[in-house]
Amino acid sequence: MKKTLFHSLTFPPDTISTGMIVSEVAKGINTELQNVEVLASSPQYNLKSVESFNNNDVNISIGSYENIKVHYIKSKPRKFSNSSRFFQWIEFNFKSILFIYKNRNHYDNIFIFSYPPTMNLVCIFTSRILKINTVYSLWELYPEIAEKLNEEPNKILKLFFKYIDNYALKNVSKVVVNSDDLKNYLINKRKITSNKINVINHFSPYVKSNYEPNFELNNIFYAGNTGRPQNLSAFLRYFKKYFPTEWKLDIYGAGQEFKNLSEFSSDNIRINSYLERKELENVTKEIPFALICLDYQITFEGFPGKTFDYLNMNKVLLNFSNPNSVVSKLIDKYGLGFNIDLEHPESLLGKLESMKNTSEINKVLKNIKCFQQSVSNKEVAFKSYLELISSSS
């Protein structure tokens, strides 16, 4: 029997949320089918594990995760400059294509997860050339997100990237997105057929926390990437200008903009380096509010994966992004926390009063529980991905 291959840049022992979600989906499907393998990069974020993978001469190391065979492509730690990261992606994709070609007769289904954006090259190779049933899980839309952040390549390269991405989307068997907004954009602007696109909600890949926050505290924390899409400095300026001085903010991060955040450090803004998930859960166990931060220009092009992990840590969400962003709409629709609008600071006082209102908080906590049971749920996601195999193989 042929196997199902999951192809992702990140995968454990890297603990980046996207890779952890892929690992949980792979584990869930493997429990059902017993035929899953993974092709991923050696650790690029978990630097403690980098040395053990890179201290050998082989380009691909074989490992195991939850009884799943994992092929790790030898890679260097993540680069943070745009040009270096781009060439790092291309090298990874080239090695991926070589591996898949050599093992093309072993797989009849391939799930490809869209970060980095050059993964579309692998999609074209597997679907168009090898004729393998390919499911493309598109979690971030490029070059649209780069355009919003004024980081897009020149006009010719931008058109080339969009052409390649559209070609991949039209040739794969199925496309997975994480919001109706992104689905509608692909239909209306990219002209992808509706019946090809499936909306599957993200979820937290971690076990539900046993810690209960202290809602008496005027404390917020942020954890994760501090890159350009997050634009955390915008919130820090807002926090210093508009939040009462009794409120405190703790940041645990790493990324392209992290060094620049030190200028905001003060008695009530504490900047800390990235922590592994277990340690983060422990040091933030009493903090009641978790910050989602997204550049104001981004609406449907990207979705912060940490949203669902915050909920699993029993936190109430505090969201600083465009009111028309997918994450703002999600919080409003399901009542998962509080949205702050950069352009309407006069509304902040009312939000802070609600955040200290016991009945409001209890209502939000009840909403979160319902949301996790019926919408953001591992089992629901597993079944949805499993249907893409059974219906198209």
Side-chain angles (χ1 to χ4, degrees):
M1 183 177 72
K2 290 189 176 183
K3 299 177 181 180
T4 296
L5 182 68
F6 275 67
H7 183 33
S8 171
L9 178 73
T10 57
F11 197 81
D14 263 342
T15 54
I16 299 300
S17 61
T18 50
M20 294 301 296
I21 290 172
V22 173
S23 73
E24 288 297 311
V25 175
K27 184 171 70 172
I29 290 181
N30 192 56
T31 300
E32 186 78 20
L33 300 181
Q34 299 294 314
N35 74 341
V36 171
E37 291 188 359
V38 173
L39 177 64
S41 169
S42 63
Q44 294 191 18
Y45 296 84
N46 185 349
L47 299 184
K48 294 178 182 177
S49 301
V50 168
E51 192 172 331
S52 63
F53 277 83
N54 290 350
N55 275 349
N56 58 65
D57 295 326
V58 297
N59 283 324
I60 295 185
S61 302
I62 305 297
S64 179
Y65 177 82
E66 300 286 349
N67 298 316
I68 298 172
K69 186 177 183 180
V70 185
H71 306 270
Y72 290 102
I73 295 174
K74 186 176 180 180
S75 304
K76 295 178 180 178
R78 184 188 190 276
K79 306 293 184 182
F80 287 104
S81 77
N82 289 341
S83 58
S84 297
R85 191 159 73 249
F86 175 78
F87 286 108
Q88 190 175 23
W89 292 341
I90 292 297
E91 181 183 8
F92 173 71
N93 294 145
F94 176 72
K95 291 178 180 178
S96 300
I97 288 171
L98 285 180
F99 172 88
I100 294 170
Y101 178 75
K102 289 177 182 177
N103 296 277
R104 60 192 180 278
N105 294 323
H106 296 173
Y107 307 111
D108 59 1
N109 286 279
I110 297 183
F111 285 85
I112 298 178
F113 296 84
S114 67
Y115 185 83
T118 51
M119 286 294 237
N120 51 27
L121 298 172
V122 186
C123 289
I124 293 170
F125 180 75
T126 58
S127 62
R128 187 69 178 172
I129 298 175
L130 298 184
K131 308 297 183 184
I132 298 174
N133 179 64
T134 301
V135 178
Y136 187 22
S137 195
L138 188 67
W139 290 353
E140 186 176 273
L141 192 62
Y142 192 90
E144 282 85 345
I145 193 168
E147 291 180 69
K148 292 288 185 74
L149 300 174
N150 295 316
E151 290 185 342
E152 76 270 24
N154 65 51
K155 187 175 182 179
I156 294 175
L157 279 177
K158 182 174 71 173
L159 291 172
F160 176 74
F161 268 113
K162 190 171 287 188
Y163 174 81
I164 290 294
D165 202 48
N166 250 28
Y167 191 72
L169 290 168
K170 289 179 178 179
N171 279 281
V172 296
S173 302
K174 294 289 182 181
V175 177
V176 174
V177 297
N178 54 21
S179 73
D180 289 319
D181 289 49
L182 182 49
K183 177 178 180 176
N184 291 334
Y185 181 87
L186 293 180
I187 294 169
N188 297 323
K189 299 296 184 181
R190 294 286 199 94
K191 306 305 178 185
I192 309 301
T193 56
S194 175
N195 60 1
K196 176 176 283 193
I197 308 171
N198 299 263
V199 179
I200 302 178
N201 286 290
H202 281 187
F203 56 87
S204 172
Y206 299 101
V207 175
K208 181 80 170 175
S209 176
N210 292 321
Y211 295 125
E212 295 296 334
N214 180 2
F215 284 96
E216 296 296 319
L217 297 178
N218 295 332
N219 205 170
I220 306 162
F221 84 95
Y222 174 90
N225 196 348
T226 56
R228 182 67 184 84
Q230 291 74 29
N231 196 5
L232 202 56
S233 59
F235 178 76
L236 291 172
R237 287 190 291 269
Y238 182 97
F239 185 87
K240 294 188 78 166
K241 186 174 182 179
Y242 296 112
F243 268 72
T245 55
E246 65 266 21
W247 279 86
K248 298 187 183 302
L249 173 65
D250 292 280
I251 294 172
Y252 302 90
Q256 188 177 3
E257 303 289 323
F258 183 73
K259 289 183 179 179
N260 299 331
L261 302 182
S262 59
E263 66 180 89
F264 297 98
S265 184
S266 63
D267 290 341
N268 62 340
I269 299 177
R270 294 166 290 207
I271 312 293
N272 308 280
S273 296
Y274 172 83
L275 294 178
E276 292 294 331
R277 176 57 165 72
K278 286 185 178 180
E279 189 176 358
L280 175 70
E281 184 180 359
N282 184 55
V283 300
T284 63
K285 60 186 177 183
E286 290 194 328
I287 299 178
F289 302 104
L291 175 67
I292 300 165
C293 194
L294 201 60
D295 189 278
Y296 201 81
Q297 298 303 314
I298 296 174
T299 52
F300 62 87
E301 303 87 353
F303 193 105
K306 63 177 65 67
T307 303
F308 306 98
D309 193 30
Y310 284 159
L311 297 178
N312 245 28
M313 296 170 73
N314 298 317
K315 309 303 183 184
V316 169
L317 302 179
L318 182 65
N319 173 48
F320 186 73
S321 67
N322 192 306
N324 293 315
S325 69
V326 171
V327 67
S328 292
K329 292 179 180 179
L330 182 85
I331 291 170
D332 277 340
K333 180 178 180 179
Y334 294 102
L336 306 176
F338 305 92
N339 289 319
I340 297 176
D341 188 349
L342 170 67
E343 296 188 348
H344 294 281
E346 71 278 1
S347 65
L348 176 62
L349 184 58
K351 302 285 186 183
L352 294 178
E353 289 175 354
S354 295
M355 289 163 65
K356 303 307 295 181
N357 185 304
T358 302
S359 63
E360 285 285 338
I361 292 299
N362 288 337
K363 181 180 177 181
V364 171
L365 293 175
K366 183 179 179 181
N367 292 340
I368 290 172
K369 183 177 180 180
C370 293
F371 175 75
Q372 291 188 301
Q373 288 174 345
S374 60
V375 181
S376 177
N377 182 288
K378 288 182 186 181
E379 285 69 32
V380 172
F382 298 161
K383 290 177 182 177
S384 298
Y385 274 101
L386 191 59
E387 288 173 2
L388 300 182
I389 294 177
S390 59
S391 63
S392 52
S393 60

